[in-house]
């Protein structure tokens, strides 16, 4: 276990627990700060010898940077570029590190804190500011739930990769799963179900077919519940309005928030005022064009089907990104 692996594990833990209640968004900005500063420090201090990153991902980031020339609000574009570069640093670090066990343990340990806090919040604890209860250290139950789902799949992927599961990580998985269930986040549940189905399919195709059928029945049962389709209807209006504004070159990185209100159907069609398109691939197509969205989808597909067990995590991210 080298120093970079340990540093990545510490970074994973800090990302999970970073909060600043004085911020309006409570936990989003502090986490981006930890990602950008932490990943930069680890890469600089470790002096990596071989840096590699998927070409498709580089192409998307490069085109996003070029689109700053025509994005309507430059500050919004710079803000999104900073996030992309931060994620790129993490990607470089992940490719450089060979032992991912500390990162999995760090993420699980940090997520477990939110899981335990969420259980306390379900019981009425109100000592930590919340936007949507129970949100743990994330302050929002949907954000917490989707993060918990990724950590659960990360633990599963590590177990499949190493053919064994470190017992401290297994113990931490209990409060993480509790936080996931407490959140009630449907996108998170769908992501876990998709990753598990994919894992079963890889293990045995026949069992995978059965798993797909069971997943379809579960999804249908959820959709038949009263009020279950209301959110999808609202999202559908946003997606329809967004689709009408897609151009070949895109509107520029970070342009969605300022451009969305002027789109046909954004008001008349009943779509709410949206900060984001609630579909990452659709938003990429809107801001950077359909070619960039196709490149992003290709990069995700390569990671899912060629990334071994950790491709399950990318599959879960892709599912969550659709909502």
């Amino acid at each position: 276990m080298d120093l970079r692996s340990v540093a990545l594990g510490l970074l994973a833990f800090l990302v999970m627990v970073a909060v600043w209640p004085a911020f309006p968004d409570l936990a989003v900005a502090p986490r981006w700060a930890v990602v950008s500063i932490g990943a930069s420090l680890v890469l600089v201090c470790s002096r990596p010898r071989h840096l590699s990153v998927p070409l498709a991902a580089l192409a998307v980031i490069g085109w996003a940077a070029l689109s700053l020339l025509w994005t309507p609000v430059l500050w919004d574009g710079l803000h999104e570029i900073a996030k992309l570069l931060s994620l790129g640093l993490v990607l470089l670090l992940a490719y450089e590190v060979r032992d991912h066990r500390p990162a999995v343990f760090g993420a699980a340990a940090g997520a477990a804190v939110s899981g335990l806090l969420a259980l306390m919040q379900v019981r009425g604890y109100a000592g930590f500011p919340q936007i949507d209860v129970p949100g743990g250290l994330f302050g929002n139950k949907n954000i917490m739930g989707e993060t918990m789902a990724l950590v659960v799949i990360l633990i599963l992927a590590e177990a499949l990769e190493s053919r064994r599961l470190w017992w401290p990580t297994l113990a931490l998985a209990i409060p993480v799963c509790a936080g996931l269930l407490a959140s009630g986040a449907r996108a998170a549940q769908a992501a876990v179900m998709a990753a598990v189905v994919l894992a079963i399919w890889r293990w045995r195709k026949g069992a995978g077919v059965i798993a797909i059928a069971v997943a379809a029945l579960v999804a249908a049962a959820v959709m038949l519940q009263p009020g279950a389709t209301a959110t999808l209807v609202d999202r559908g209006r946003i997606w329809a309005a967004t689709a009408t504004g897609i151009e070949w070159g895109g509107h520029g990185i970070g342009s969605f928030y300022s451009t969305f209100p002027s789109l046909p159907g954004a008001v008349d069609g009943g779509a709410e005022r949206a900060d984001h398109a609630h579909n990452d691939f659709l938003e990429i197509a809107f801001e950077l064009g359909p070619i960039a969205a196709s490149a992003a989808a290709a990069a995700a597909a390569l990671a899912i089907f060629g990334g071994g067990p950790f491709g399950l995590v990318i599959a879960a991210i892709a599912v969550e990104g659709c909502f």
Side-chain angles (χ1 to χ4, degrees):
M1 187 180 300
D2 60 19
L3 183 60
R4 282 172 299 193
S5 298
V6 175
L8 185 59
L10 178 60
L11 177 60
F13 175 78
L14 292 176
V15 169
M16 290 294 166
V17 300
V19 293
W20 194 335
F23 271 72
D25 60 10
L26 185 68
V28 177
R31 284 180 164 85
W32 278 113
V34 169
V35 169
S36 58
I37 296 172
S40 299
L41 287 175
V42 173
L43 279 171
V44 170
C45 294
S46 64
R47 296 180 180 180
R49 298 179 180 178
H50 304 289
L51 293 178
S52 60
V53 66
L55 182 60
L58 281 177
V60 172
I61 294 175
W63 181 253
L66 183 63
S67 74
L68 287 172
L69 295 174
W70 60 84
T71 193
V73 181
L74 182 59
W75 175 251
D76 289 347
L78 290 172
H79 185 243
E80 295 302 317
I81 280 290
K83 291 180 179 180
L84 277 178
L85 292 177
S86 297
L87 292 178
L89 289 174
V90 174
L91 186 61
L92 288 173
L93 187 57
Y95 270 84
E96 181 70 14
V97 170
R98 299 301 179 188
D99 186 359
H100 295 94
R101 287 175 300 172
V104 176
F105 179 78
V113 176
S114 277
L116 293 173
L117 180 57
L119 293 179
M120 294 170 60
Q121 290 166 340
V122 170
R123 300 290 294 178
Y125 175 72
F128 187 81
Q130 297 286 290
I131 298 172
D132 197 0
V133 180
L137 290 177
F138 294 86
N140 183 299
K141 67 178 183 179
N142 289 320
I143 294 177
M144 183 192 72
E146 292 178 13
T147 304
M148 295 295 192
L150 297 182
V151 175
V152 169
I153 299 305
L154 187 63
I155 294 172
L156 172 62
E158 172 58 30
L160 294 173
E161 175 76 13
S162 61
R163 301 292 182 179
R164 60 186 177 86
L165 189 60
W166 197 27
W167 71 263
T169 305
L170 180 60
L172 291 171
I174 297 174
V176 174
C177 289
L180 169 62
L181 294 175
S183 73
R186 292 195 186 97
Q189 296 166 0
V192 171
M193 188 164 57
V196 170
V197 168
L198 179 58
I200 295 174
W201 175 271
R202 288 179 172 180
W203 169 60
R204 188 168 296 173
K205 296 295 189 295
V209 173
I210 297 174
I212 292 172
V214 171
L217 290 175
V218 171
V222 170
M223 293 304 297
L224 289 175
Q225 294 180 358
T229 59
T231 300
L232 277 180
V233 170
D234 291 337
R235 298 287 168 83
R237 291 169 178 163
I238 296 174
W239 296 339
T242 302
T244 63
I246 293 178
E247 299 176 353
W248 282 108
H251 296 270
I253 186 70
S255 62
F256 182 85
Y257 182 80
S258 60
T259 308
F260 180 79
S262 64
L263 296 176
V267 178
D268 295 338
E272 64 181 57
R273 178 66 170 90
D275 294 340
H276 295 282
H278 292 288
N279 185 301
D280 291 344
F281 296 105
L282 186 59
E283 188 163 338
I284 292 172
F286 180 84
E287 294 191 346
L288 303 179
I291 295 178
S294 298
L302 288 173
I304 291 171
F305 297 106
F310 288 102
L312 299 177
V313 182
I314 306 301
I317 292 173
V319 171
E320 291 182 351
C322 290
F323 303 98

